[in-house]
Amino acid sequence: MDKPYLRMLSNPQLENPILVQGLPGFGNVGRIAAHFMVKFFKAKHFAELYSPTFSDYISITSKGIAYLPKYDFYHAQMDKNSLIIMSSEIQPPFDDVTSHYNACEEILNVAESLGCKFIVTLGGVPLTEDKTEIFVAATSNRLATDFMEKGGVIYSKGRIVGGTGLTLALAKERNLTGVCLLGTTLGFKADREAGFLVFKFLMKALGQEIKDGLNKKDTTSE
């Protein structure tokens, strides 16, 4: 494999789609939140993205089957918008800047090819104190203010590591709009609580408030 390859498993009919990206990172918050979305909407797996810039290891299933690292895409339908939920077990190596740029560009290529104009990236932000908040960064002041009014806290003068931030910034360069939601977490251990709170916040922002919803344990193991 010498270039990225998108494998389409089906061709869903999408209406004003929104891309939601949840990758591993601090507390695996983004990935966990994306999995809650897949569970809640019973989203259907429709595409896989492979790339030679991904990590140089493979994963093995419980039955001993090997498979390449990949980004998975799922689709679901809300009242007025389709959702494209993108998640993965991997990101490119953190010291390989070029690979990170290439991977994020490929994600956006897929999003644009499917008609996405708005993206949401999900992740975690480490804190040394036990404080529950959702931080917000956006492609415009208007969007940042809008999500702040929904209960978020502006993430000012900080850095967002990896694809969670890079996808958002590259989307802005393509004149796409979007936000990044960061759940506070105490460390690198999988933080289901933070992932669940990011999931609930996004659902409320999209007009799909979670009341009884999913149990916090109702996601794949991290």
Side-chain angles (χ1 to χ4, degrees):
M1 184 190 301
D2 60 356
K3 61 182 180 180
Y5 167 65
L6 180 67
R7 180 187 178 198
M8 296 295 295
L9 306 176
S10 65
N11 293 291
Q13 297 298 311
L14 304 172
E15 180 181 358
N16 300 318
I18 296 169
L19 174 70
V20 179
Q21 171 189 288
L23 293 172
F26 292 115
N28 264 354
V29 175
R31 185 178 174 222
I32 292 170
H35 284 180
F36 275 122
M37 294 189 70
V38 170
K39 287 277 189 178
F40 181 78
F41 286 105
K42 297 180 180 178
K44 299 186 183 303
H45 188 208
F46 76 95
E48 299 169 338
L49 178 65
Y50 298 87
S51 174
T53 68
F54 290 168
S55 299
D56 61 348
Y57 61 84
I58 64 171
S59 296
I60 309 296
T61 69
S62 60
K63 296 182 179 180
I65 306 302
Y67 63 91
L68 287 171
K70 58 188 170 67
Y71 287 168
D72 292 300
F73 293 82
Y74 302 81
H75 73 91
Q77 186 64 41
M78 298 194 304
D79 289 342
K80 296 181 180 179
N81 298 91
S82 300
L83 287 177
I84 298 171
I85 305 164
M86 178 257 145
S87 186
S88 178
E89 297 179 353
I90 57 99
Q91 289 205 55
F94 278 99
D95 58 351
D96 190 342
V97 177
T98 300
S99 292
H100 268 284
Y101 270 84
N102 289 340
C104 293
E105 292 282 15
E106 288 301 323
I107 292 169
L108 292 172
N109 287 343
V110 174
E112 286 194 302
S113 72
L114 295 170
C116 286
K117 304 293 185 184
F118 187 82
I119 70 165
V120 181
T121 66
L122 309 174
V125 58
L127 291 184
T128 57
E129 56 183 313
D130 190 2
K131 190 175 183 180
T132 301
E133 288 183 318
I134 305 295
F135 285 100
V136 178
T139 55
S140 70
N141 290 333
R142 179 189 62 78
L143 270 174
T145 300
D146 184 34
F147 275 76
M148 180 184 68
E149 291 173 350
K150 297 178 188 298
V153 178
I154 298 297
Y155 190 61
S156 59
K157 297 182 179 180
R159 294 182 179 180
I160 304 173
V161 178
T164 304
L166 192 56
T167 301
L168 181 73
L170 289 172
K172 186 175 184 293
E173 293 299 310
R174 297 186 183 209
N175 294 318
L176 302 175
T177 57
V179 297
C180 174
L181 304 179
L182 301 171
T184 54
T185 182
L186 292 176
F188 290 92
K189 184 178 179 181
D191 192 338
R192 287 180 174 80
E193 183 76 28
F196 187 72
L197 291 176
V198 169
F199 159 70
K200 285 184 66 176
F201 182 91
L202 177 56
M203 290 297 92
K204 183 178 179 180
L206 296 176
Q208 187 88 38
E209 188 166 0
I210 305 300
K211 294 182 180 178
D212 297 324
L214 287 169
N215 184 281
K216 281 176 274 189
K217 294 182 181 179
D218 193 14
T219 185
T220 57
S221 60
E222 301 297 328

